[in-house]
Amino acid sequence: MEALTDAGPYHRLPDSDDSRLSQLGYKQELRRSLSAIANFSVTFSIISILTGITTLYNQGLSYGGPVSMVYGWPIVGLMTFIVGLSMAEIISAYPTSGGLYYWAAKLCTDDWAPFASWLTGW
């Protein structure tokens, strides 16, 4: 991959994550690959729709009714997806471990930085 000469504020685009990490002063130590079964397992445990719906089903119907159940979940899911895309764009520029916690703290005020980092990790 050839470097671009006019890349905005960046003088040279890195050839790979390894070269970007070395520019930041880090050496890649973590293996960045998952097997198909490991990828499925992580995805299922994070996005387990069945456990999420059954635990909050009674509260949603009691306090918001069917309207909150039908429209609330997709709307909040879309907003969460947009936040995730934004964080992914920021983190892809600096591929370090713990980048999500760092940038969550940097994107808010100093008073809320520890809470934002904790919430991102949680």
Side-chain angles (χ1 to χ4, degrees), residues 40-52:
F40 173 77
S41 301
V42 169
T43 304
F44 185 77
S45 66
I46 291 173
I47 309 175
S48 182
I49 295 170
L50 294 175
T51 57

Side-chain angles (χ1 to χ4, degrees), residues 69-94:
M69 300 295 286
V70 172
Y71 297 113
W73 191 61
I75 291 170
V76 171
L78 180 66
M79 289 179 190
T80 303
F81 185 68
I82 291 170
V83 170
L85 287 176
S86 301
M87 291 297 284
E89 184 66 28
I90 293 169
I91 302 308
S92 67
Y94 303 101

Side-chain angles (χ1 to χ4, degrees), residues 3 23 113 118:
Q23 288 174 356
W118 178 82

